[in-house]
Amino acid sequence: MAACVSASLVVGCGKGTAAVADSGAELACTVVPPLECPDPAPRYQDVESIFSQRCVDCHFGAEEGPWPLTEYRQVAAWAELVRADLLNCSMPPADAGGAAMTDQERIAILTWILCGSRE
C-alpha cells in the first residue's frame, strides 16, 4: 500500500519523543491535543483515510497487528489507546516503513476522539 512508501522527509515517530528524518536526524513530536470539540463534530469518515494511509498496512488483520484498524467499530473500540499512542507519537512506529503521520493528521484523529468517536 501507499503508506509503506517512505515520504521524502519522515519515516516514523520513533519511541514517542521524536520522528526520524531520512537523514537520520530526529524531529520533535510536537502534537498539541485539542481541548474543544468543533461544531459540527467530526465523524469517522473525516478520519478514515488517515487510518487507511497510516495504520492499516500493519493493522489489517488480527495476525498482523495487535488489533485490526480497518473499520469504524475496530477503531472506535481502541480510541483511548489510539489517543495515547498519538499523543506520545509512538504510532506509527519508525520501523513501520511508511511516512510518519503529520501533526495535522494526529490532531484530526484526536479531535474525532475528543468529540466522542462518532460514526
Side-chain angles (χ1 to χ4, degrees), residues 11-53:
V11 295
C13 267
K15 298 190 187 286
T17 58
V20 179
D22 285 342
S23 66
E26 288 191 3
L27 304 171
C29 178
T30 60
V31 67
V32 176
L35 301 175
E36 294 182 13
C37 183
D39 185 20
R43 303 187 74 84
Y44 181 64
Q45 68 186 12
D46 299 317
V47 296
E48 182 176 18
S49 65
I50 302 168
F51 284 100
S52 293
Q53 293 172 358

